[in-house]
Amino acid sequence: MTQLTDEIVDEIHTIRQQHADRFNFDIDRIIDDLRAGQEKHAAEGWPLRKALDTLPVNPNSVLQRTRFASKQKSQV
C-alpha cells in the first residue's frame, strides 16, 4: 500500500513540528502560545469561532463519506 502525500498537509505538519520545537515540545507552553495568539487576533478584531460542543450527526454527509471511505472498502 502506498501512502498518498499532500503538499499542504506536509506543510502543516512541518509548521506544527517547528512550533512545538520552539517550546521544546512542552504542551503547556505550546497551548499558552496558541491562546496568546488567539487573544492577540481577538484584540485586533479578528472574529473567532467557538468550537462545537458536539459534532453534528449526519452519516450521509460528504465529510463522513470521505472520512470513512477507506474503512468501508477495507471491510468489504
Side-chain angles (χ1 to χ4, degrees), residues 7-18:
E7 292 177 20
I8 295 171
V9 173
D10 289 342
E11 183 178 355
I12 290 169
H13 288 168
T14 300
I15 291 168
R16 290 177 68 191
Q17 182 75 23
Q18 291 170 348

Side-chain angles (χ1 to χ4, degrees), residues 1-50:
M1 176 183 232
T2 60
Q3 183 178 2
L4 298 177
T5 58
D6 185 332
E7 292 177 20
I8 295 171
V9 173
D10 289 342
E11 183 178 355
I12 290 169
H13 288 168
T14 300
I15 291 168
R16 290 177 68 191
Q17 182 75 23
Q18 291 170 348
H19 185 250
D21 192 40
R22 281 185 21 217
F23 298 101
N24 200 26
F25 297 90
D26 181 341
I27 191 68
D28 293 324
R29 291 177 55 207
I30 293 168
I31 291 171
D32 289 343
D33 182 63
L34 293 172
R35 287 186 178 146
Q38 284 182 329
E39 291 172 6
K40 176 182 173 247
H41 288 120
E44 292 173 353
W46 289 93
L48 298 177
R49 297 187 64 164
K50 287 197 155 271

